[in-house]
Amino acid sequence: MSNPVAKIVDRHLKIWNTRHATERITGIPSTYAADVVIGEPAVWFSGFAGVECAIKAVHAQMPGMHLAVTGPIQTTGDTSTYTWALAGKDGNVVKGRDVITVKHERIISRYVFFDT
């Protein structure tokens, strides 16, 4: 992974896939800006606490979930996009696309689009 954005996305996935809140909270500041914004179709989150809240909500909805990138990361300037799949231990799979903005090796915004 020589692409610096790929390394950031890898850290992002590791945090989202971590089951223990304490481990997630420790990793959030090295991956997200303090004023990060996460926009989803039905809800918006901001800041480190918002990241943890978003992750906690997904883990509650899909226990045993695993998030993975499913396609290439495309980057133009400081904006990148990639497809992903979120699989629950019950076999449910949700797919979508993220659009992230990265500055100073931190995610400053993440917009989530779900496949319908």
Side-chain angles (χ1 to χ4, degrees):
M1 266 191 209
S2 62
N3 178 346
V5 173
K7 291 178 183 178
I8 293 163
V9 171
D10 187 52
R11 289 194 324 248
H12 157 73
L13 294 176
K14 183 177 178 185
I15 290 167
W16 279 74
N17 287 323
T18 298
R19 310 258 186 276
H20 303 287
T22 304
E23 290 177 37
R24 287 194 306 262
I25 291 167
T26 301
I28 287 172
S30 66
T31 303
Y32 303 90
D35 59 350
V36 63
V37 173
I38 299 175
E40 296 183 3
V43 64
W44 285 67
F45 301 93
S46 63
F48 295 153
V51 173
E52 173 57 18
C53 185
I55 297 169
K56 194 174 177 180
V58 172
H59 279 275
Q61 291 174 348
M62 294 184 81
M65 57 135 277
H66 181 76
L67 178 64
V69 171
T70 58
I73 298 171
Q74 299 170 309
T75 300
T76 300
D78 59 3
T79 303
S80 299
T81 186
Y82 54 87
T83 56
W84 50 262
L86 176 66
K89 69 178 180 183
D90 60 0
N92 281 336
V93 177
V94 177
K95 295 181 180 182
R97 172 175 295 279
D98 282 357
V99 177
I100 63 171
T101 305
V102 174
K103 287 195 179 178
H104 308 294
E105 298 184 19
R106 303 278 190 290
I107 297 172
I108 63 169
S109 65
R110 175 176 173 246
Y111 298 98
V112 180
F113 299 87
F114 296 100
D115 290 349
T116 55

